[in-house]
Amino acid sequence: MAADHDIERAAHALAAGELVILPTETVYGLAADAADPHAVARLFEAKGRPRFNPLIAHVADLAAARAIAALDDRALTLAAAFWPGPLTLVAPYVGSSAVCDLARAGLDTVAVRIPAHPVAHAVLAAFGRPVVAPSANRSGRPSPTNHADAVEETGEACALALDGGPCAAGLESTVIAALPDAPLRLLRLGSIPRGDIEAVVGPLAEAETDAKRTPGRLALHYAPDAPVRLNAQGPRAGEVFLDFGPNAQGLGEGPDVFNLSHVGDVREAAANLFAMLRAADRRRPAGIAVAPIPDDGLGEAINDRLRRAAGFVG
Ligand code: TXA
Ligand code: MG
């Protein structure tokens, strides 16, 4: 786990325009000073990310969130329920130069979140200003959910890679837009199940298919090198299998069979998903076959990621 002096070093590196790998409770992020267009440009370059896809500004507390985003009553209700934690709110931008144009992809809105991970929180508190942090994968690949995977993806581009252990959630934050004269919209399924959010603010509208408003939903995403086959009852020749639940096929777990959750718990499966996709991919298989995952609770977000990994979206 990162120590106090690592936190200080990370804050200094960010202030010097460097990139830092930062653990959060969802996935590892690649962090930069949100106000520094040069640092943000290097971040887009390190990820190979299209510049029309805006970044999330991470802050330490609600006052810092409100200094960059006009949070209405609905947004504040969500903030009270889920921050710190894996909720990202998209709201009108009011931060003058705190989150540079490039970080927002030129939009008049900003995405903001207060992470719960103690290392992320300590870095944000020490740095004192918003930090943009997309997932630390190269664009289009599965997000890293542990230190080693993050270093493998974008370690070369960063000055420092903090270790916060494996991510508890394993899926990215849930992104909700709270914009004037519009219903609350679910822009990205994520670590907070839709039902948990709707229990607080009522039914959510779906994302518009407006590319400018929901750029992150368009790309093929989260994809390992090997082709992904969904709803598989078992592996075909040459495939690695990601099983779910008590093993019904009598397949012994070995180097070519993983189980996302033996007890059939979607939360455990979410935490294991990206690391197991990566481990499967390292076997250089002809394909990765994945067992059916129930669509309830976090299963909806898992299935969203799997469909994108398989190339069925965008
Ligand atoms: O859990 C997470 O959110 C992780 C950790 C590191 O915090 N970060 C993350 O960032 O997943 P990234 O950049 O991989 O995903 C950000 C998503 C993208 O889908 C992006 O299009 C969307 O948020 N987004 C950012 N700003 C937006 C805006 N102003 N309007 C609509 N969507 C926005
Ligand atoms: Mg990402």
Side-chain angles (χ1 to χ4, degrees):
M1 199 61 119
D4 286 357
H5 66 269
D6 295 324
I7 304 294
E8 283 307 316
R9 279 175 62 210
H12 280 120
L14 289 169
E18 310 263 25
L19 308 183
V20 171
I21 285 178
L22 190 67
T24 85
E25 71 279 22
T26 58
V27 301
Y28 274 69
L30 184 62
D33 178 353
D36 180 346
H38 298 288
V40 174
R42 288 181 48 220
L43 178 49
F44 275 93
E45 202 175 302
K47 278 185 58 82
R49 179 173 174 123
R51 289 190 179 205
F52 58 77
N53 195 1
L55 305 173
I56 297 171
H58 297 65
V59 296
D61 56 41
L62 186 62
R66 297 186 78 171
I68 56 171
L71 302 179
D72 63 17
D73 288 347
R74 303 168 303 171
L76 290 172
T77 301
L78 285 171
F82 298 108
W83 276 348
L87 169 74
T88 293
L89 290 170
V90 172
Y93 178 63
V94 293
S96 74
S97 59
V99 183
C100 66
D101 264 9
L102 181 57
R104 291 179 290 108
L107 296 174
D108 55 3
T109 58
V110 67
V112 61
R113 100 170 179 96
I114 303 176
H117 195 292
V119 173
H121 185 267
V123 170
L124 292 169
F127 184 60
R129 292 190 288 111
V131 162
V132 282
S135 48
N137 52 287
R138 279 169 286 120
S139 199
R141 305 223 341 116
S143 303
T145 53
N146 59 56
H147 181 254
D149 287 349
V151 169
E152 183 181 299
E153 283 286 326
T154 50
E156 275 182 11
C158 72
L160 184 66
L162 296 182
D163 189 351
C167 299
L171 292 180
E172 298 81 356
S173 60
T174 301
V175 182
I176 308 272
L179 296 172
D181 307 317
L184 291 175
R185 282 188 201 285
L186 178 58
L187 299 190
R188 179 176 73 180
L189 289 159
S191 274
I192 305 174
R194 179 202 298 267
D196 291 17
I197 292 175
E198 293 189 334
V200 176
V201 287
L204 296 168
E206 290 304 311
E208 292 163 299
T209 43
D210 172 354
K212 274 204 197 114
R213 289 280 168 205
T214 55
R217 288 174 64 106
L218 291 181
L220 166 74
H221 224 114
Y222 316 107
D225 290 335
V228 174
R229 186 168 68 85
L230 303 181
N231 298 315
Q233 296 307 322
R236 293 178 185 154
E239 283 181 337
V240 169
F241 187 50
L242 263 57
D243 204 353
F244 176 83
N247 179 266
Q249 295 84 10
L251 293 165
E253 223 163 310
D256 291 332
V257 180
F258 298 81
N259 197 316
L260 290 163
S261 170
H262 288 281
V263 293
D265 173 11
V266 284
R267 208 165 268 283
E268 184 180 14
N272 283 331
L273 178 68
F274 287 134
M276 285 190 178
L277 275 176
R278 288 169 173 284
D281 212 24
R282 278 189 202 108
R283 309 280 307 156
R284 302 247 155 259
I288 300 172
V290 188
I293 313 287
D295 215 33
D296 40 57
L298 269 185
E300 190 186 11
I302 295 174
N303 284 319
D304 168 81
R305 300 299 189 272
L306 284 171
R307 277 195 298 276
R308 289 167 201 274
F312 289 154
V313 180

mmCIF file with all atom_site columns, all heavy atoms in Angstrom, residues 228-248:
data_model
loop_
_atom_site.group_PDB
_atom_site.id
_atom_site.type_symbol
_atom_site.label_atom_id
_atom_site.label_alt_id
_atom_site.label_comp_id
_atom_site.label_asym_id
_atom_site.label_entity_id
_atom_site.label_seq_id
_atom_site.pdbx_PDB_ins_code
_atom_site.Cartn_x
_atom_site.Cartn_y
_atom_site.Cartn_z
_atom_site.occupancy
_atom_site.B_iso_or_equiv
_atom_site.pdbx_formal_charge
_atom_site.auth_seq_id
_atom_site.auth_comp_id
_atom_site.auth_asym_id
_atom_site.auth_atom_id
_atom_site.pdbx_PDB_model_num
ATOM 1   N N   . VAL A 1 228 ? -14.004 -12.435 -27.974 1.00 0.00 ? 228 VAL A N   1
ATOM 2   C CA  . VAL A 1 228 ? -14.799 -12.835 -26.807 1.00 0.00 ? 228 VAL A CA  1
ATOM 3   C C   . VAL A 1 228 ? -16.129 -13.412 -27.295 1.00 0.00 ? 228 VAL A C   1
ATOM 4   O O   . VAL A 1 228 ? -16.794 -12.829 -28.150 1.00 0.00 ? 228 VAL A O   1
ATOM 5   C CB  . VAL A 1 228 ? -15.042 -11.609 -25.892 1.00 0.00 ? 228 VAL A CB  1
ATOM 6   C CG1 . VAL A 1 228 ? -15.997 -11.967 -24.752 1.00 0.00 ? 228 VAL A CG1 1
ATOM 7   C CG2 . VAL A 1 228 ? -13.714 -11.091 -25.333 1.00 0.00 ? 228 VAL A CG2 1
ATOM 8   N N   . ARG A 1 229 ? -16.513 -14.595 -26.758 1.00 0.00 ? 229 ARG A N   1
ATOM 9   C CA  . ARG A 1 229 ? -17.773 -15.245 -27.111 1.00 0.00 ? 229 ARG A CA  1
ATOM 10  C C   . ARG A 1 229 ? -18.635 -15.318 -25.856 1.00 0.00 ? 229 ARG A C   1
ATOM 11  O O   . ARG A 1 229 ? -18.188 -15.825 -24.829 1.00 0.00 ? 229 ARG A O   1
ATOM 12  C CB  . ARG A 1 229 ? -17.484 -16.652 -27.658 1.00 0.00 ? 229 ARG A CB  1
ATOM 13  C CG  . ARG A 1 229 ? -18.709 -17.391 -28.202 1.00 0.00 ? 229 ARG A CG  1
ATOM 14  C CD  . ARG A 1 229 ? -18.280 -18.634 -28.986 1.00 0.00 ? 229 ARG A CD  1
ATOM 15  N NE  . ARG A 1 229 ? -17.691 -19.658 -28.142 1.00 0.00 ? 229 ARG A NE  1
ATOM 16  C CZ  . ARG A 1 229 ? -18.392 -20.573 -27.463 1.00 0.00 ? 229 ARG A CZ  1
ATOM 17  N NH1 . ARG A 1 229 ? -19.699 -20.583 -27.526 1.00 0.00 ? 229 ARG A NH1 1
ATOM 18  N NH2 . ARG A 1 229 ? -17.776 -21.482 -26.723 1.00 0.00 ? 229 ARG A NH2 1
ATOM 19  N N   . LEU A 1 230 ? -19.862 -14.786 -25.958 1.00 0.00 ? 230 LEU A N   1
ATOM 20  C CA  . LEU A 1 230 ? -20.701 -14.653 -24.763 1.00 0.00 ? 230 LEU A CA  1
ATOM 21  C C   . LEU A 1 230 ? -21.697 -15.806 -24.632 1.00 0.00 ? 230 LEU A C   1
ATOM 22  O O   . LEU A 1 230 ? -21.942 -16.541 -25.584 1.00 0.00 ? 230 LEU A O   1
ATOM 23  C CB  . LEU A 1 230 ? -21.477 -13.328 -24.833 1.00 0.00 ? 230 LEU A CB  1
ATOM 24  C CG  . LEU A 1 230 ? -20.592 -12.085 -24.980 1.00 0.00 ? 230 LEU A CG  1
ATOM 25  C CD1 . LEU A 1 230 ? -21.447 -10.822 -25.013 1.00 0.00 ? 230 LEU A CD1 1
ATOM 26  C CD2 . LEU A 1 230 ? -19.570 -12.010 -23.860 1.00 0.00 ? 230 LEU A CD2 1
ATOM 27  N N   . ASN A 1 231 ? -22.279 -15.926 -23.417 1.00 0.00 ? 231 ASN A N   1
ATOM 28  C CA  . ASN A 1 231 ? -23.323 -16.918 -23.145 1.00 0.00 ? 231 ASN A CA  1
ATOM 29  C C   . ASN A 1 231 ? -22.902 -18.325 -23.528 1.00 0.00 ? 231 ASN A C   1
ATOM 30  O O   . ASN A 1 231 ? -23.689 -19.102 -24.063 1.00 0.00 ? 231 ASN A O   1
ATOM 31  C CB  . ASN A 1 231 ? -24.630 -16.535 -23.860 1.00 0.00 ? 231 ASN A CB  1
ATOM 32  C CG  . ASN A 1 231 ? -25.144 -15.204 -23.337 1.00 0.00 ? 231 ASN A CG  1
ATOM 33  O OD1 . ASN A 1 231 ? -25.169 -14.980 -22.126 1.00 0.00 ? 231 ASN A OD1 1
ATOM 34  N ND2 . ASN A 1 231 ? -25.492 -14.301 -24.240 1.00 0.00 ? 231 ASN A ND2 1
ATOM 35  N N   . ALA A 1 232 ? -21.641 -18.637 -23.269 1.00 0.00 ? 232 ALA A N   1
ATOM 36  C CA  . ALA A 1 232 ? -21.098 -19.939 -23.662 1.00 0.00 ? 232 ALA A CA  1
ATOM 37  C C   . ALA A 1 232 ? -21.383 -20.965 -22.566 1.00 0.00 ? 232 ALA A C   1
ATOM 38  O O   . ALA A 1 232 ? -21.257 -20.675 -21.376 1.00 0.00 ? 232 ALA A O   1
ATOM 39  C CB  . ALA A 1 232 ? -19.596 -19.818 -23.887 1.00 0.00 ? 232 ALA A CB  1
ATOM 40  N N   . GLN A 1 233 ? -21.761 -22.163 -22.971 1.00 0.00 ? 233 GLN A N   1
ATOM 41  C CA  . GLN A 1 233 ? -22.001 -23.237 -21.988 1.00 0.00 ? 233 GLN A CA  1
ATOM 42  C C   . GLN A 1 233 ? -20.690 -23.913 -21.599 1.00 0.00 ? 233 GLN A C   1
ATOM 43  O O   . GLN A 1 233 ? -20.622 -24.620 -20.604 1.00 0.00 ? 233 GLN A O   1
ATOM 44  C CB  . GLN A 1 233 ? -22.998 -24.256 -22.540 1.00 0.00 ? 233 GLN A CB  1
ATOM 45  C CG  . GLN A 1 233 ? -24.389 -23.672 -22.796 1.00 0.00 ? 233 GLN A CG  1
ATOM 46  C CD  . GLN A 1 233 ? -24.976 -22.950 -21.569 1.00 0.00 ? 233 GLN A CD  1
ATOM 47  O OE1 . GLN A 1 233 ? -24.793 -23.385 -20.430 1.00 0.00 ? 233 GLN A OE1 1
ATOM 48  N NE2 . GLN A 1 233 ? -25.645 -21.829 -21.817 1.00 0.00 ? 233 GLN A NE2 1
ATOM 49  N N   . GLY A 1 234 ? -19.657 -23.702 -22.405 1.00 0.00 ? 234 GLY A N   1
ATOM 50  C CA  . GLY A 1 234 ? -18.350 -24.294 -22.115 1.00 0.00 ? 234 GLY A CA  1
ATOM 51  C C   . GLY A 1 234 ? -17.394 -23.872 -23.210 1.00 0.00 ? 234 GLY A C   1
ATOM 52  O O   . GLY A 1 234 ? -17.810 -23.221 -24.173 1.00 0.00 ? 234 GLY A O   1
ATOM 53  N N   . PRO A 1 235 ? -16.106 -24.210 -23.049 1.00 0.00 ? 235 PRO A N   1
ATOM 54  C CA  . PRO A 1 235 ? -15.124 -23.794 -24.044 1.00 0.00 ? 235 PRO A CA  1
ATOM 55  C C   . PRO A 1 235 ? -15.135 -24.686 -25.287 1.00 0.00 ? 235 PRO A C   1
ATOM 56  O O   . PRO A 1 235 ? -15.399 -25.877 -25.192 1.00 0.00 ? 235 PRO A O   1
ATOM 57  C CB  . PRO A 1 235 ? -13.798 -23.956 -23.289 1.00 0.00 ? 235 PRO A CB  1
ATOM 58  C CG  . PRO A 1 235 ? -14.067 -25.030 -22.281 1.00 0.00 ? 235 PRO A CG  1
ATOM 59  C CD  . PRO A 1 235 ? -15.510 -24.947 -21.917 1.00 0.00 ? 235 PRO A CD  1
ATOM 60  N N   . ARG A 1 236 ? -14.861 -24.075 -26.432 1.00 0.00 ? 236 ARG A N   1
ATOM 61  C CA  . ARG A 1 236 ? -14.582 -24.842 -27.642 1.00 0.00 ? 236 ARG A CA  1
ATOM 62  C C   . ARG A 1 236 ? -13.074 -25.014 -27.736 1.00 0.00 ? 236 ARG A C   1
ATOM 63  O O   . ARG A 1 236 ? -12.325 -24.388 -26.980 1.00 0.00 ? 236 ARG A O   1
ATOM 64  C CB  . ARG A 1 236 ? -15.097 -24.107 -28.878 1.00 0.00 ? 236 ARG A CB  1
ATOM 65  C CG  . ARG A 1 236 ? -16.609 -24.016 -28.915 1.00 0.00 ? 236 ARG A CG  1
ATOM 66  C CD  . ARG A 1 236 ? -17.067 -23.238 -30.135 1.00 0.00 ? 236 ARG A CD  1
ATOM 67  N NE  . ARG A 1 236 ? -18.506 -23.035 -30.110 1.00 0.00 ? 236 ARG A NE  1
ATOM 68  C CZ  . ARG A 1 236 ? -19.135 -22.033 -30.720 1.00 0.00 ? 236 ARG A CZ  1
ATOM 69  N NH1 . ARG A 1 236 ? -18.443 -21.135 -31.416 1.00 0.00 ? 236 ARG A NH1 1
ATOM 70  N NH2 . ARG A 1 236 ? -20.436 -21.915 -30.635 1.00 0.00 ? 236 ARG A NH2 1
ATOM 71  N N   . ALA A 1 237 ? -12.629 -25.820 -28.672 1.00 0.00 ? 237 ALA A N   1
ATOM 72  C CA  . ALA A 1 237 ? -11.192 -26.095 -28.816 1.00 0.00 ? 237 ALA A CA  1
ATOM 73  C C   . ALA A 1 237 ? -10.403 -24.791 -28.906 1.00 0.00 ? 237 ALA A C   1
ATOM 74  O O   . ALA A 1 237 ? -10.762 -23.895 -29.672 1.00 0.00 ? 237 ALA A O   1
ATOM 75  C CB  . ALA A 1 237 ? -10.955 -26.936 -30.070 1.00 0.00 ? 237 ALA A CB  1
ATOM 76  N N   . GLY A 1 238 ? -9.386  -24.669 -28.095 1.00 0.00 ? 238 GLY A N   1
ATOM 77  C CA  . GLY A 1 238 ? -8.502  -23.499 -28.158 1.00 0.00 ? 238 GLY A CA  1
ATOM 78  C C   . GLY A 1 238 ? -8.967  -22.315 -27.337 1.00 0.00 ? 238 GLY A C   1
ATOM 79  O O   . GLY A 1 238 ? -8.244  -21.328 -27.211 1.00 0.00 ? 238 GLY A O   1
ATOM 80  N N   . GLU A 1 239 ? -10.190 -22.400 -26.788 1.00 0.00 ? 239 GLU A N   1
ATOM 81  C CA  . GLU A 1 239 ? -10.704 -21.260 -26.020 1.00 0.00 ? 239 GLU A CA  1
ATOM 82  C C   . GLU A 1 239 ? -10.352 -21.385 -24.534 1.00 0.00 ? 239 GLU A C   1
ATOM 83  O O   . GLU A 1 239 ? -10.296 -22.482 -23.986 1.00 0.00 ? 239 GLU A O   1
ATOM 84  C CB  . GLU A 1 239 ? -12.235 -21.190 -26.126 1.00 0.00 ? 239 GLU A CB  1
ATOM 85  C CG  . GLU A 1 239 ? -12.744 -20.621 -27.432 1.00 0.00 ? 239 GLU A CG  1
ATOM 86  C CD  . GLU A 1 239 ? -14.275 -20.548 -27.470 1.00 0.00 ? 239 GLU A CD  1
ATOM 87  O OE1 . GLU A 1 239 ? -14.951 -21.292 -26.723 1.00 0.00 ? 239 GLU A OE1 1
ATOM 88  O OE2 . GLU A 1 239 ? -14.787 -19.746 -28.254 1.00 0.00 ? 239 GLU A OE2 1
ATOM 89  N N   . VAL A 1 240 ? -10.180 -20.232 -23.899 1.00 0.00 ? 240 VAL A N   1
ATOM 90  C CA  . VAL A 1 240 ? -10.153 -20.163 -22.437 1.00 0.00 ? 240 VAL A CA  1
ATOM 91  C C   . VAL A 1 240 ? -11.577 -19.855 -21.987 1.00 0.00 ? 240 VAL A C   1
ATOM 92  O O   . VAL A 1 240 ? -12.310 -19.125 -22.666 1.00 0.00 ? 240 VAL A O   1
ATOM 93  C CB  . VAL A 1 240 ? -9.160  -19.078 -21.958 1.00 0.00 ? 240 VAL A CB  1
ATOM 94  C CG1 . VAL A 1 240 ? -9.319  -18.817 -20.476 1.00 0.00 ? 240 VAL A CG1 1
ATOM 95  C CG2 . VAL A 1 240 ? -7.734  -19.501 -22.262 1.00 0.00 ? 240 VAL A CG2 1
ATOM 96  N N   . PHE A 1 241 ? -11.987 -20.428 -20.850 1.00 0.00 ? 241 PHE A N   1
ATOM 97  C CA  . PHE A 1 241 ? -13.379 -20.286 -20.397 1.00 0.00 ? 241 PHE A CA  1
ATOM 98  C C   . PHE A 1 241 ? -13.450 -19.486 -19.102 1.00 0.00 ? 241 PHE A C   1
ATOM 99  O O   . PHE A 1 241 ? -12.710 -19.757 -18.151 1.00 0.00 ? 241 PHE A O   1
ATOM 100 C CB  . PHE A 1 241 ? -13.981 -21.679 -20.181 1.00 0.00 ? 241 PHE A CB  1
ATOM 101 C CG  . PHE A 1 241 ? -15.464 -21.669 -19.879 1.00 0.00 ? 241 PHE A CG  1
ATOM 102 C CD1 . PHE A 1 241 ? -16.355 -20.951 -20.675 1.00 0.00 ? 241 PHE A CD1 1
ATOM 103 C CD2 . PHE A 1 241 ? -15.973 -22.412 -18.825 1.00 0.00 ? 241 PHE A CD2 1
ATOM 104 C CE1 . PHE A 1 241 ? -17.720 -20.960 -20.414 1.00 0.00 ? 241 PHE A CE1 1
ATOM 105 C CE2 . PHE A 1 241 ? -17.346 -22.427 -18.550 1.00 0.00 ? 241 PHE A CE2 1
ATOM 106 C CZ  . PHE A 1 241 ? -18.213 -21.702 -19.354 1.00 0.00 ? 241 PHE A CZ  1
ATOM 107 N N   . LEU A 1 242 ? -14.312 -18.480 -19.082 1.00 0.00 ? 242 LEU A N   1
ATOM 108 C CA  . LEU A 1 242 ? -14.637 -17.759 -17.844 1.00 0.00 ? 242 LEU A CA  1
ATOM 109 C C   . LEU A 1 242 ? -16.000 -18.237 -17.384 1.00 0.00 ? 242 LEU A C   1
ATOM 110 O O   . LEU A 1 242 ? -17.020 -17.879 -17.964 1.00 0.00 ? 242 LEU A O   1
ATOM 111 C CB  . LEU A 1 242 ? -14.674 -16.243 -18.092 1.00 0.00 ? 242 LEU A CB  1
ATOM 112 C CG  . LEU A 1 242 ? -13.422 -15.435 -17.743 1.00 0.00 ? 242 LEU A CG  1
ATOM 113 C CD1 . LEU A 1 242 ? -12.219 -15.966 -18.484 1.00 0.00 ? 242 LEU A CD1 1
ATOM 114 C CD2 . LEU A 1 242 ? -13.614 -13.955 -18.034 1.00 0.00 ? 242 LEU A CD2 1
ATOM 115 N N   . ASP A 1 243 ? -16.011 -19.038 -16.336 1.00 0.00 ? 243 ASP A N   1
ATOM 116 C CA  . ASP A 1 243 ? -17.245 -19.623 -15.835 1.00 0.00 ? 243 ASP A CA  1
ATOM 117 C C   . ASP A 1 243 ? -17.860 -18.691 -14.788 1.00 0.00 ? 243 ASP A C   1
ATOM 118 O O   . ASP A 1 243 ? -17.213 -17.740 -14.317 1.00 0.00 ? 243 ASP A O   1
ATOM 119 C CB  . ASP A 1 243 ? -16.934 -21.002 -15.227 1.00 0.00 ? 243 ASP A CB  1
ATOM 120 C CG  . ASP A 1 243 ? -18.153 -21.921 -15.221 1.00 0.00 ? 243 ASP A CG  1
ATOM 121 O OD1 . ASP A 1 243 ? -19.256 -21.453 -15.558 1.00 0.00 ? 243 ASP A OD1 1
ATOM 122 O OD2 . ASP A 1 243 ? -17.990 -23.100 -14.870 1.00 0.00 ? 243 ASP A OD2 1
ATOM 123 N N   . PHE A 1 244 ? -19.100 -18.970 -14.432 1.00 0.00 ? 244 PHE A N   1
ATOM 124 C CA  . PHE A 1 244 ? -19.794 -18.202 -13.382 1.00 0.00 ? 244 PHE A CA  1
ATOM 125 C C   . PHE A 1 244 ? -20.695 -19.152 -12.613 1.00 0.00 ? 244 PHE A C   1
ATOM 126 O O   . PHE A 1 244 ? -21.488 -19.865 -13.209 1.00 0.00 ? 244 PHE A O   1
ATOM 127 C CB  . PHE A 1 244 ? -20.629 -17.084 -14.008 1.00 0.00 ? 244 PHE A CB  1
ATOM 128 C CG  . PHE A 1 244 ? -21.449 -16.314 -13.003 1.00 0.00 ? 244 PHE A CG  1
ATOM 129 C CD1 . PHE A 1 244 ? -20.881 -15.286 -12.275 1.00 0.00 ? 244 PHE A CD1 1
ATOM 130 C CD2 . PHE A 1 244 ? -22.787 -16.635 -12.786 1.00 0.00 ? 244 PHE A CD2 1
ATOM 131 C CE1 . PHE A 1 244 ? -21.632 -14.577 -11.336 1.00 0.00 ? 244 PHE A CE1 1
ATOM 132 C CE2 . PHE A 1 244 ? -23.550 -15.927 -11.848 1.00 0.00 ? 244 PHE A CE2 1
ATOM 133 C CZ  . PHE A 1 244 ? -22.962 -14.899 -11.127 1.00 0.00 ? 244 PHE A CZ  1
ATOM 134 N N   . GLY A 1 245 ? -20.555 -19.174 -11.292 1.00 0.00 ? 245 GLY A N   1
ATOM 135 C CA  . GLY A 1 245 ? -21.414 -20.000 -10.457 1.00 0.00 ? 245 GLY A CA  1
ATOM 136 C C   . GLY A 1 245 ? -20.846 -21.389 -10.268 1.00 0.00 ? 245 GLY A C   1
ATOM 137 O O   . GLY A 1 245 ? -19.804 -21.719 -10.824 1.00 0.00 ? 245 GLY A O   1
ATOM 138 N N   . PRO A 1 246 ? -21.544 -22.192 -9.465  1.00 0.00 ? 246 PRO A N   1
ATOM 139 C CA  . PRO A 1 246 ? -21.072 -23.553 -9.205  1.00 0.00 ? 246 PRO A CA  1
ATOM 140 C C   . PRO A 1 246 ? -20.886 -24.257 -10.538 1.00 0.00 ? 246 PRO A C   1
ATOM 141 O O   . PRO A 1 246 ? -21.758 -24.191 -11.393 1.00 0.00 ? 246 PRO A O   1
ATOM 142 C CB  . PRO A 1 246 ? -22.225 -24.179 -8.411  1.00 0.00 ? 246 PRO A CB  1
ATOM 143 C CG  . PRO A 1 246 ? -23.086 -23.054 -7.975  1.00 0.00 ? 246 PRO A CG  1
ATOM 144 C CD  . PRO A 1 246 ? -22.841 -21.900 -8.880  1.00 0.00 ? 246 PRO A CD  1
ATOM 145 N N   . ASN A 1 247 ? -19.743 -24.893 -10.703 1.00 0.00 ? 247 ASN A N   1
ATOM 146 C CA  . ASN A 1 247 ? -19.421 -25.423 -12.019 1.00 0.00 ? 247 ASN A CA  1
ATOM 147 C C   . ASN A 1 247 ? -20.319 -26.596 -12.384 1.00 0.00 ? 247 ASN A C   1
ATOM 148 O O   . ASN A 1 247 ? -20.325 -27.631 -11.738 1.00 0.00 ? 247 ASN A O   1
ATOM 149 C CB  . ASN A 1 247 ? -17.952 -25.846 -12.049 1.00 0.00 ? 247 ASN A CB  1
ATOM 150 C CG  . ASN A 1 247 ? -17.597 -26.413 -13.400 1.00 0.00 ? 247 ASN A CG  1
ATOM 151 O OD1 . ASN A 1 247 ? -17.654 -27.596 -13.588 1.00 0.00 ? 247 ASN A OD1 1
ATOM 152 N ND2 . ASN A 1 247 ? -17.284 -25.541 -14.316 1.00 0.00 ? 247 ASN A ND2 1
ATOM 153 N N   . ALA A 1 248 ? -21.102 -26.406 -13.429 1.00 0.00 ? 248 ALA A N   1
ATOM 154 C CA  . ALA A 1 248 ? -22.073 -27.423 -13.837 1.00 0.00 ? 248 ALA A CA  1
ATOM 155 C C   . ALA A 1 248 ? -21.510 -28.356 -14.900 1.00 0.00 ? 248 ALA A C   1
ATOM 156 O O   . ALA A 1 248 ? -22.022 -29.438 -15.116 1.00 0.00 ? 248 ALA A O   1
ATOM 157 C CB  . ALA A 1 248 ? -23.325 -26.732 -14.367 1.00 0.00 ? 248 ALA A CB  1
#
